[in-house]
Amino acid sequence: MKKYLRFATSLSLAIIMALSGAATAFAATQPAPPPPGGTFAQRLAQRKAERGIQLDARDQQRLTSRCAQAQSSIRSLQQVTTPVIANRSKVYQRISAKLWVIIGELKLAGKDTFNLEKQLSALAGKTSNFQATSANYQQVIDDTLVVNCQADVVGFKALLDTARLYQASLRDQSADIRNYVTNEIKTTLANHVSELQPKPDTGGQ
Amino acid sequence: MNPEQPNNAPSPPPNQPQVYNSAQPPSGPQSIYPPPKPPNKNKRLFFILGTVGLVVILAVVILLVALSGGNKKNPAVVKNTSQSNNQPQGPQPAQAIDAEQANNSISQDISGINDDKDFPPTQLDDKTLGL
């Protein structure tokens, strides 16, 4: 009987720990993309529902007194982020275009380009995800500047937390694209370079 | 009146012997009048055909002169066409150097972007924003 009791207690604790871990993970999960054509009020309501922000009186007072200054900093950040994201998208497009060209030339040379084409397709998917995330990130930054942070400090906090999550996603996606290009695509291209090298004469007699 | 002679031919004077230029008499009856002239219809046809032919030849000559004159006005076009015909057009089969250049170029592109610089991890921290 005692064994069964101990087993039940252990199982319950394990389930509780698993659920709390899941809750923590849920709080940091990727925010859902806003519905297209949605208004600011709809997006604000969505972010507040996603984050489930709860502030005590002390945090509310602190944020209310300092949020205007934070919005000034975010405005400066917005002016820097927009051209950065545009330039990065151009770089990804340039890489894809170069791959298209070399794939065509390799085909004319009679080489098997299946792997390279598969990698180009994967790269296109990654850059597409990056562009979607960057668009959502810029939208949240805009909303953070629009919200009346002193009147709706919870909304301001929810938008700020969402922006942080999107920025972390952008960093992860950028690193993933960099690793993929460096470790996969460039390796395949290097193999093609070796295949295309003129073979030395074995020497005939 | 002799029935063999045409109606328009003058009849020889009567009771006069015929004078022969040669010792031998003529083998048979011979007309002393010139052969009848060809009708005017053939002449007209020949004239028309000749004129048409001449016109056609002139038209061809004028056309050739105009074309050759047009080409001379745009020598650059002709030269460019001949030059472009000599150079290969469109993508060429890849060589090792092409793949290597593409690889190096892609390396340069990916190295030109800095994740830490573009998306600093502390960019939106409370401390950075003064919250």
Side-chain angles (χ1 to χ4, degrees), chain A residues 40-41 43-48 53 55 60 63-64 67 71 143-144 146-160:
Chain A
F40 164 73
R43 291 192 298 270
L44 180 63
Q46 179 186 347
R47 300 311 180 193
K48 284 163 84 169
I53 303 292
L55 299 172
Q60 269 200 341
L63 287 172
T64 303
C67 68
Q71 282 182 319
D143 292 342
T144 310
V146 169
V147 71
N148 185 345
C149 65
Q150 291 172 343
D152 186 2
V153 68
V154 171
F156 173 77
K157 176 73 172 157
L159 289 170
L160 185 58

mmCIF file of all heavy atoms in Angstrom, chain A residues 40-41 43-48 53 55 60 63-64 67 71 143-144 146-160:
data_model
loop_
_atom_site.group_PDB
_atom_site.id
_atom_site.type_symbol
_atom_site.label_atom_id
_atom_site.label_comp_id
_atom_site.label_asym_id
_atom_site.label_seq_id
_atom_site.Cartn_x
_atom_site.Cartn_y
_atom_site.Cartn_z
ATOM 1 N N PHE A 40 -5.003 48.071 -35.215
ATOM 2 C CA PHE A 40 -4.094 48.158 -34.070
ATOM 3 C C PHE A 40 -4.766 47.568 -32.827
ATOM 4 O O PHE A 40 -4.133 46.849 -32.049
ATOM 5 C CB PHE A 40 -3.706 49.616 -33.835
ATOM 6 C CG PHE A 40 -3.093 49.867 -32.492
ATOM 7 C CD1 PHE A 40 -1.805 49.449 -32.213
ATOM 8 C CD2 PHE A 40 -3.811 50.499 -31.482
ATOM 9 C CE1 PHE A 40 -1.235 49.656 -30.961
ATOM 10 C CE2 PHE A 40 -3.249 50.707 -30.229
ATOM 11 C CZ PHE A 40 -1.961 50.290 -29.967
ATOM 12 N N ALA A 41 -6.041 47.877 -32.649
ATOM 13 C CA ALA A 41 -6.767 47.386 -31.466
ATOM 14 C C ALA A 41 -6.812 45.862 -31.458
ATOM 15 O O ALA A 41 -6.655 45.218 -30.405
ATOM 16 C CB ALA A 41 -8.174 47.961 -31.445
ATOM 17 N N ARG A 43 -4.650 43.811 -32.929
ATOM 18 C CA ARG A 43 -3.304 43.285 -32.678
ATOM 19 C C ARG A 43 -2.952 43.432 -31.197
ATOM 20 O O ARG A 43 -2.355 42.525 -30.593
ATOM 21 C CB ARG A 43 -2.278 44.012 -33.547
ATOM 22 C CG ARG A 43 -2.394 43.711 -35.040
ATOM 23 C CD ARG A 43 -1.185 44.225 -35.803
ATOM 24 N NE ARG A 43 -1.049 45.672 -35.706
ATOM 25 C CZ ARG A 43 -1.602 46.535 -36.564
ATOM 26 N NH1 ARG A 43 -2.333 46.088 -37.561
ATOM 27 N NH2 ARG A 43 -1.416 47.833 -36.429
ATOM 28 N N LEU A 44 -3.327 44.572 -30.612
ATOM 29 C CA LEU A 44 -3.032 44.803 -29.193
ATOM 30 C C LEU A 44 -3.743 43.767 -28.330
ATOM 31 O O LEU A 44 -3.156 43.196 -27.402
ATOM 32 C CB LEU A 44 -3.451 46.218 -28.801
ATOM 33 C CG LEU A 44 -3.195 46.602 -27.340
ATOM 34 C CD1 LEU A 44 -1.713 46.582 -27.019
ATOM 35 C CD2 LEU A 44 -3.773 47.989 -27.052
ATOM 36 N N ALA A 45 -4.995 43.508 -28.648
ATOM 37 C CA ALA A 45 -5.768 42.521 -27.886
ATOM 38 C C ALA A 45 -5.138 41.131 -28.037
ATOM 39 O O ALA A 45 -5.068 40.356 -27.070
ATOM 40 C CB ALA A 45 -7.217 42.511 -28.368
ATOM 41 N N GLN A 46 -4.679 40.831 -29.231
ATOM 42 C CA GLN A 46 -4.049 39.525 -29.472
ATOM 43 C C GLN A 46 -2.785 39.366 -28.634
ATOM 44 O O GLN A 46 -2.567 38.324 -27.992
ATOM 45 C CB GLN A 46 -3.715 39.382 -30.957
ATOM 46 C CG GLN A 46 -3.022 38.072 -31.322
ATOM 47 C CD GLN A 46 -2.576 38.009 -32.774
ATOM 48 O OE1 GLN A 46 -2.969 38.824 -33.610
ATOM 49 N NE2 GLN A 46 -1.737 37.049 -33.082
ATOM 50 N N ARG A 47 -1.957 40.416 -28.631
ATOM 51 C CA ARG A 47 -0.687 40.306 -27.888
ATOM 52 C C ARG A 47 -0.948 40.236 -26.377
ATOM 53 O O ARG A 47 -0.238 39.525 -25.644
ATOM 54 C CB ARG A 47 0.213 41.507 -28.201
ATOM 55 C CG ARG A 47 0.581 41.661 -29.678
ATOM 56 C CD ARG A 47 1.080 40.385 -30.295
ATOM 57 N NE ARG A 47 1.434 40.555 -31.700
ATOM 58 C CZ ARG A 47 1.668 39.557 -32.537
ATOM 59 N NH1 ARG A 47 1.593 38.303 -32.118
ATOM 60 N NH2 ARG A 47 1.994 39.794 -33.780
ATOM 61 N N LYS A 48 -1.912 40.969 -25.894
ATOM 62 C CA LYS A 48 -2.221 40.919 -24.469
ATOM 63 C C LYS A 48 -2.720 39.529 -24.081
ATOM 64 O O LYS A 48 -2.372 38.996 -23.014
ATOM 65 C CB LYS A 48 -3.279 41.978 -24.118
ATOM 66 C CG LYS A 48 -2.708 43.393 -24.071
ATOM 67 C CD LYS A 48 -3.763 44.457 -24.135
ATOM 68 C CE LYS A 48 -4.365 44.741 -22.794
ATOM 69 N NZ LYS A 48 -5.208 45.966 -22.806
ATOM 70 N N ILE A 53 0.037 39.202 -19.424
ATOM 71 C CA ILE A 53 0.848 40.004 -18.493
ATOM 72 C C ILE A 53 0.050 40.313 -17.225
ATOM 73 O O ILE A 53 -1.118 40.696 -17.299
ATOM 74 C CB ILE A 53 1.286 41.324 -19.164
ATOM 75 C CG1 ILE A 53 2.071 41.049 -20.453
ATOM 76 C CG2 ILE A 53 2.089 42.177 -18.201
ATOM 77 C CD1 ILE A 53 3.409 40.408 -20.246
ATOM 78 N N LEU A 55 0.844 42.578 -13.770
ATOM 79 C CA LEU A 55 1.803 43.466 -13.107
ATOM 80 C C LEU A 55 1.316 43.818 -11.712
ATOM 81 O O LEU A 55 0.124 44.107 -11.515
ATOM 82 C CB LEU A 55 1.971 44.767 -13.913
ATOM 83 C CG LEU A 55 2.504 44.625 -15.343
ATOM 84 C CD1 LEU A 55 2.425 45.954 -16.077
ATOM 85 C CD2 LEU A 55 3.936 44.123 -15.313
ATOM 86 N N GLN A 60 3.757 48.395 -12.154
ATOM 87 C CA GLN A 60 2.893 49.296 -12.920
ATOM 88 C C GLN A 60 3.372 50.735 -12.773
ATOM 89 O O GLN A 60 3.438 51.485 -13.751
ATOM 90 C CB GLN A 60 1.445 49.159 -12.435
ATOM 91 C CG GLN A 60 0.655 48.120 -13.187
ATOM 92 C CD GLN A 60 -0.830 48.308 -13.073
ATOM 93 O OE1 GLN A 60 -1.322 48.986 -12.185
ATOM 94 N NE2 GLN A 60 -1.569 47.698 -13.986
ATOM 95 N N LEU A 63 6.756 51.207 -14.705
ATOM 96 C CA LEU A 63 6.603 51.243 -16.164
ATOM 97 C C LEU A 63 5.878 52.506 -16.612
ATOM 98 O O LEU A 63 6.226 53.110 -17.628
ATOM 99 C CB LEU A 63 5.850 49.995 -16.641
ATOM 100 C CG LEU A 63 6.636 48.677 -16.597
ATOM 101 C CD1 LEU A 63 5.743 47.489 -16.912
ATOM 102 C CD2 LEU A 63 7.809 48.713 -17.549
ATOM 103 N N THR A 64 4.885 52.916 -15.849
ATOM 104 C CA THR A 64 4.129 54.109 -16.231
ATOM 105 C C THR A 64 5.015 55.343 -16.240
ATOM 106 O O THR A 64 4.903 56.209 -17.117
ATOM 107 C CB THR A 64 2.957 54.319 -15.249
ATOM 108 O OG1 THR A 64 2.144 53.127 -15.240
ATOM 109 C CG2 THR A 64 2.094 55.490 -15.684
ATOM 110 N N CYS A 67 7.877 54.617 -19.344
ATOM 111 C CA CYS A 67 7.572 54.030 -20.667
ATOM 112 C C CYS A 67 7.737 55.049 -21.789
ATOM 113 O O CYS A 67 8.095 54.692 -22.910
ATOM 114 C CB CYS A 67 6.165 53.436 -20.675
ATOM 115 S SG CYS A 67 4.841 54.639 -20.558
ATOM 116 N N GLN A 71 9.849 54.504 -25.137
ATOM 117 C CA GLN A 71 9.327 54.637 -26.502
ATOM 118 C C GLN A 71 10.263 55.486 -27.366
ATOM 119 O O GLN A 71 10.397 55.238 -28.573
ATOM 120 C CB GLN A 71 7.922 55.247 -26.476
ATOM 121 C CG GLN A 71 6.847 54.242 -26.087
ATOM 122 C CD GLN A 71 5.452 54.842 -26.119
ATOM 123 O OE1 GLN A 71 5.251 55.976 -25.706
ATOM 124 N NE2 GLN A 71 4.494 54.061 -26.581
ATOM 125 N N ASP A 143 3.592 49.194 -33.358
ATOM 126 C CA ASP A 143 2.491 49.212 -32.395
ATOM 127 C C ASP A 143 2.973 49.666 -31.019
ATOM 128 O O ASP A 143 2.233 50.328 -30.281
ATOM 129 C CB ASP A 143 1.856 47.822 -32.298
ATOM 130 C CG ASP A 143 1.120 47.426 -33.570
ATOM 131 O OD1 ASP A 143 0.803 48.334 -34.371
ATOM 132 O OD2 ASP A 143 0.876 46.225 -33.767
ATOM 133 N N THR A 144 4.209 49.318 -30.674
ATOM 134 C CA THR A 144 4.767 49.735 -29.388
ATOM 135 C C THR A 144 4.903 51.249 -29.309
ATOM 136 O O THR A 144 4.796 51.829 -28.215
ATOM 137 C CB THR A 144 6.151 49.079 -29.172
ATOM 138 O OG1 THR A 144 6.050 47.685 -29.414
ATOM 139 C CG2 THR A 144 6.663 49.291 -27.764
ATOM 140 N N VAL A 146 2.859 53.267 -31.015
ATOM 141 C CA VAL A 146 1.522 53.852 -31.152
ATOM 142 C C VAL A 146 0.748 53.805 -29.828
ATOM 143 O O VAL A 146 -0.012 54.732 -29.509
ATOM 144 C CB VAL A 146 0.745 53.101 -32.272
ATOM 145 C CG1 VAL A 146 -0.724 53.478 -32.265
ATOM 146 C CG2 VAL A 146 1.362 53.415 -33.631
ATOM 147 N N VAL A 147 0.959 52.732 -29.067
ATOM 148 C CA VAL A 147 0.171 52.530 -27.850
ATOM 149 C C VAL A 147 0.402 53.670 -26.854
ATOM 150 O O VAL A 147 1.515 54.200 -26.736
ATOM 151 C CB VAL A 147 0.510 51.158 -27.229
ATOM 152 C CG1 VAL A 147 1.905 51.149 -26.625
ATOM 153 C CG2 VAL A 147 -0.522 50.773 -26.180
ATOM 154 N N ASN A 148 -0.673 54.045 -26.154
ATOM 155 C CA ASN A 148 -0.564 55.015 -25.068
ATOM 156 C C ASN A 148 -0.078 54.234 -23.846
ATOM 157 O O ASN A 148 -0.867 53.639 -23.105
ATOM 158 C CB ASN A 148 -1.922 55.664 -24.804
ATOM 159 C CG ASN A 148 -1.814 56.777 -23.767
ATOM 160 O OD1 ASN A 148 -0.820 56.901 -23.050
ATOM 161 N ND2 ASN A 148 -2.843 57.585 -23.694
ATOM 162 N N CYS A 149 1.247 54.246 -23.649
ATOM 163 C CA CYS A 149 1.843 53.336 -22.659
ATOM 164 C C CYS A 149 1.421 53.693 -21.228
ATOM 165 O O CYS A 149 1.324 52.810 -20.372
ATOM 166 C CB CYS A 149 3.365 53.343 -22.775
ATOM 167 S SG CYS A 149 4.135 54.931 -22.366
ATOM 168 N N GLN A 150 1.136 54.957 -20.984
ATOM 169 C CA GLN A 150 0.766 55.328 -19.614
ATOM 170 C C GLN A 150 -0.677 54.936 -19.306
ATOM 171 O O GLN A 150 -1.020 54.627 -18.163
ATOM 172 C CB GLN A 150 0.973 56.831 -19.405
ATOM 173 C CG GLN A 150 2.446 57.204 -19.422
ATOM 174 C CD GLN A 150 2.684 58.693 -19.424
ATOM 175 O OE1 GLN A 150 1.780 59.477 -19.730
ATOM 176 N NE2 GLN A 150 3.900 59.104 -19.102
ATOM 177 N N ALA A 151 -1.516 54.948 -20.325
ATOM 178 C CA ALA A 151 -2.913 54.551 -20.124
ATOM 179 C C ALA A 151 -3.076 53.030 -20.146
ATOM 180 O O ALA A 151 -3.963 52.494 -19.495
ATOM 181 C CB ALA A 151 -3.789 55.185 -21.199
ATOM 182 N N ASP A 152 -2.234 52.374 -20.919
ATOM 183 C CA ASP A 152 -2.356 50.913 -21.065
ATOM 184 C C ASP A 152 -0.959 50.314 -20.911
ATOM 185 O O ASP A 152 -0.338 49.881 -21.893
ATOM 186 C CB ASP A 152 -2.956 50.560 -22.425
ATOM 187 C CG ASP A 152 -3.246 49.061 -22.566
ATOM 188 O OD1 ASP A 152 -3.025 48.314 -21.596
ATOM 189 O OD2 ASP A 152 -3.680 48.645 -23.668
ATOM 190 N N VAL A 153 -0.462 50.306 -19.691
ATOM 191 C CA VAL A 153 0.896 49.829 -19.468
ATOM 192 C C VAL A 153 0.986 48.315 -19.685
ATOM 193 O O VAL A 153 2.029 47.811 -20.094
ATOM 194 C CB VAL A 153 1.379 50.219 -18.045
ATOM 195 C CG1 VAL A 153 0.615 49.454 -16.970
ATOM 196 C CG2 VAL A 153 2.849 50.014 -17.901
ATOM 197 N N VAL A 154 -0.104 47.604 -19.427
ATOM 198 C CA VAL A 154 -0.116 46.156 -19.688
ATOM 199 C C VAL A 154 0.030 45.892 -21.187
ATOM 200 O O VAL A 154 0.767 44.991 -21.609
ATOM 201 C CB VAL A 154 -1.406 45.518 -19.132
ATOM 202 C CG1 VAL A 154 -1.532 44.076 -19.582
ATOM 203 C CG2 VAL A 154 -1.417 45.586 -17.606
ATOM 204 N N GLY A 155 -0.691 46.660 -21.992
ATOM 205 C CA GLY A 155 -0.575 46.519 -23.439
ATOM 206 C C GLY A 155 0.827 46.837 -23.926
ATOM 207 O O GLY A 155 1.377 46.139 -24.782
ATOM 208 N N PHE A 156 1.399 47.902 -23.347
ATOM 209 C CA PHE A 156 2.766 48.269 -23.708
ATOM 210 C C PHE A 156 3.732 47.138 -23.375
ATOM 211 O O PHE A 156 4.592 46.774 -24.178
ATOM 212 C CB PHE A 156 3.175 49.558 -22.982
ATOM 213 C CG PHE A 156 4.627 49.915 -23.166
ATOM 214 C CD1 PHE A 156 5.075 50.487 -24.340
ATOM 215 C CD2 PHE A 156 5.548 49.678 -22.141
ATOM 216 C CE1 PHE A 156 6.413 50.816 -24.498
ATOM 217 C CE2 PHE A 156 6.886 50.003 -22.301
ATOM 218 C CZ PHE A 156 7.319 50.572 -23.485
ATOM 219 N N LYS A 157 3.588 46.567 -22.204
ATOM 220 C CA LYS A 157 4.461 45.472 -21.774
ATOM 221 C C LYS A 157 4.285 44.246 -22.673
ATOM 222 O O LYS A 157 5.261 43.581 -23.039
ATOM 223 C CB LYS A 157 4.145 45.139 -20.316
ATOM 224 C CG LYS A 157 4.906 43.954 -19.747
ATOM 225 C CD LYS A 157 6.353 44.279 -19.489
ATOM 226 C CE LYS A 157 6.999 43.107 -18.747
ATOM 227 N NZ LYS A 157 8.430 43.059 -18.913
ATOM 228 N N ALA A 158 3.033 43.960 -23.031
ATOM 229 C CA ALA A 158 2.768 42.791 -23.895
ATOM 230 C C ALA A 158 3.419 42.989 -25.260
ATOM 231 O O ALA A 158 4.026 42.065 -25.825
ATOM 232 C CB ALA A 158 1.257 42.582 -24.037
ATOM 233 N N LEU A 159 3.303 44.211 -25.810
ATOM 234 C CA LEU A 159 3.903 44.474 -27.125
ATOM 235 C C LEU A 159 5.426 44.408 -27.031
ATOM 236 O O LEU A 159 6.093 43.870 -27.938
ATOM 237 C CB LEU A 159 3.474 45.849 -27.623
ATOM 238 C CG LEU A 159 2.008 45.978 -28.057
ATOM 239 C CD1 LEU A 159 1.651 47.436 -28.287
ATOM 240 C CD2 LEU A 159 1.745 45.168 -29.311
ATOM 241 N N LEU A 160 5.984 44.931 -25.951
ATOM 242 C CA LEU A 160 7.434 44.915 -25.804
ATOM 243 C C LEU A 160 7.963 43.481 -25.687
ATOM 244 O O LEU A 160 8.972 43.131 -26.310
ATOM 245 C CB LEU A 160 7.828 45.726 -24.572
ATOM 246 C CG LEU A 160 9.329 45.913 -24.329
ATOM 247 C CD1 LEU A 160 9.996 46.588 -25.515
ATOM 248 C CD2 LEU A 160 9.560 46.736 -23.049
#
